Amino acid sequence: MSASLDSGLPRPSQTTTLRQRLGELRGPGTAPRALDARALAALAANPGCRRRALLDGAGVDKAALASRLGSPAPFGQSQFAIMRGNSFEAKVKADGGRELLRLLGVEEPGAVSVPDLAAAGPQGRTARTALALREATAAGTWTLLDHPLVALEVAGSPVYLEPDAVVVSPDGRWTVVEIKSFPMIDGAADASKVGAAARQSAVYVLALERTAAVTEGATVAHSVLLVCPKDFSNVPTASVVDVRKQRSVTRRQLARLIRIEEIADALPEGTTFDVEGCSSAELTEAVESVPHAYAPECLAACELAFHCRARAREAGAVETLGRAVRGELGGLTTVDAVLAAARGEAGDPEDPAVAALRRARAMRQEALDRASAPSEEAGACR
Ligand code: SF4
């Protein structure tokens, strides 16, 4: 872990050469698309995918890229949903943060401090947040940090993350607050949505821990406060979500991410993902020059999922059947190889996967024979 990361700040060290290289990959004059915790959680869910690691690292707009490839992604919120979400968030943070503290179970917080976190640029905002966290911890009063900015180094590059809020309690405990617009009905919300929110919050917890490590008296709570509308109303309600498991899984997966420099170095000379300046054919060629690791889970997490799925299907890759099936099939990597092994035309009979496939095929054949047997017998009696 680098010293600069320990201070909670990104390394100023992302080399100029790498920055230039990533700029070339995005295209001249194209601003990098910032990674957020949701994207990081998705990246951590598929750490072996070089394609996503590179495109996210370079800040390429994957949704625009997917459209140019002819496989647009079904992601994104409507303008109405965004406005509704913003007005709900304002309601949650009303009354100088007291409403939020009530949701946290603190009825009489006394004075609540809401420091101004404005600063120039992401590095300035990250430094301002780190200072506010230190001051709040030293002051020993309730403090609400509204949209702080924290940094996490991912695959050798800094990523800036913006939780909805962080509450600092008088005992120096920092709690991440995640505000969502999906409803909590009778105290429970959709499990898959809660799971996604927990994975996203775990990324914030990891980033905050870097700053807490150099802040005297600070600890980061491994439970986050999830705030949602109550029973389809606009009234906020909250639930404490334990993210210990998601934190350790994300931490492990992010550490496994392949370094972006390594992937960029392996690209053919002149490769670019310039969505504005390249033809669809050029973009397809560029995307195909980076290996991917498609799995059906990509459909819920990555803008390029339809494109990668089509390529995986064309190649007859068994990955399209799911990670569990892929794992069971061992060295058989294509559907054709699986079928040939099952028919006894290829494959080592000693290979457990091959033996299981042949057994399964024999059982299927036996079942089919049995199903057709009664009519044959009936014919013989006549
Ligand atoms: S959809 Fe493609 S690029 Fe995205 S994570 Fe999956 S394999 Fe990687």
Side-chain angles (χ1 to χ4, degrees):
M1 194 75 48
S2 70
S4 52
L5 238 186
D6 287 344
S7 69
L9 294 171
R11 287 192 312 178
S13 65
Q14 189 187 23
T15 60
T16 315
T17 331
L18 177 62
R19 236 180 274 148
Q20 271 169 358
R21 182 80 180 98
L22 297 180
E24 284 161 16
L25 290 176
R26 267 192 319 274
T30 310
R33 201 171 176 80
L35 267 178
D36 58 14
R38 192 189 302 229
L40 269 190
L43 193 57
N46 194 355
C49 183
R50 289 174 170 247
R51 186 174 289 175
R52 179 164 190 153
L54 180 71
L55 293 172
D56 279 349
V60 174
D61 182 344
K62 296 202 300 303
L65 181 60
S67 292
R68 293 296 313 280
L69 295 174
S71 311
F75 292 115
Q77 276 189 314
S78 70
Q79 203 54 35
F80 173 72
I82 293 170
M83 280 165 59
R84 193 167 170 263
N86 288 345
S87 99
F88 179 66
E89 184 171 333
K91 190 167 183 163
V92 172
K93 291 174 180 169
D95 198 10
R98 284 187 170 70
E99 175 63 30
L100 188 45
L101 289 178
R102 271 193 286 276
L103 292 168
L104 202 54
V106 186
E107 290 298 333
E108 297 297 335
V112 180
S113 164
V114 185
D116 179 7
L117 300 178
Q123 292 190 359
R125 284 186 60 201
T126 310
R128 180 71 195 92
T129 295
L131 179 65
L133 283 165
R134 276 198 291 275
E135 286 175 350
T137 308
T141 52
W142 287 101
T143 304
L144 169 67
L145 271 69
D146 187 1
H147 284 281
L149 200 71
V150 286
L152 188 65
E153 188 175 294
V154 178
S157 303
V159 173
Y160 297 97
L161 306 160
E162 191 173 334
D164 290 328
V166 171
V167 171
V168 180
S169 57
D171 63 358
R173 198 172 164 83
W174 304 351
T175 304
V176 170
V177 179
E178 190 59 27
I179 302 171
K180 293 292 185 196
S181 51
F182 55 80
M184 216 176 261
I185 301 162
D186 293 335
D190 183 317
S192 66
K193 289 180 177 165
V194 173
R199 285 193 292 278
Q200 192 180 331
S201 304
V203 177
Y204 298 137
V205 168
L206 284 173
L208 277 170
E209 282 177 338
R210 315 292 161 137
T211 310
V214 290
T215 306
E216 205 182 325
T219 52
V220 182
H222 288 174
S223 293
V224 302
L225 188 72
L226 176 64
V227 184
C228 298
K230 187 178 180 194
D231 301 333
F232 302 112
S233 71
N234 205 26
V235 177
T237 186
S239 163
V240 173
V241 181
D242 184 342
V243 298
R244 275 176 301 179
K245 189 168 156 230
Q246 290 83 353
R247 177 191 161 276
S248 18
V249 170
T250 306
R251 188 180 178 177
R252 199 167 54 241
Q253 300 289 60
L254 288 178
R256 282 179 56 205
L257 280 176
I258 302 148
R259 293 185 72 83
I260 293 165
E261 291 101 312
E262 208 182 300
I263 308 169
D265 285 350
L267 291 176
E269 192 64 31
T271 299
T272 172
F273 303 96
D274 183 357
V275 177
E276 299 297 328
C278 292
S279 67
S280 296
E282 287 166 334
L283 288 171
T284 305
E285 194 184 329
V287 168
E288 290 315 309
S289 69
V290 196
H292 67 96
Y294 176 78
E297 289 81 357
C298 293
L299 291 169
C302 182
E303 293 87 344
L304 286 178
F306 288 166
H307 176 82
C308 296
R309 182 178 65 176
R311 288 295 180 274
R313 281 180 177 168
E314 270 167 33
V318 291
E319 280 80 0
T320 55
L321 304 173
R323 289 200 178 108
V325 177
R326 169 76 195 87
E328 295 286 333
L329 291 170
L332 302 169
T333 56
T334 64
V335 174
D336 283 348
V338 170
L339 293 175
R343 286 193 294 259
E345 297 162 5
D348 176 2
E350 300 295 316
D351 180 338
V354 173
L357 284 166
R358 290 185 185 168
R359 214 165 38 247
R361 183 169 186 268
M363 285 163 69
R364 175 177 177 274
Q365 195 55 51
E366 207 180 301
L368 288 175
D369 291 348
R370 221 178 296 132
S372 59
S375 57
E376 282 168 15
E377 279 165 18
C381 289
R382 273 201 291 271

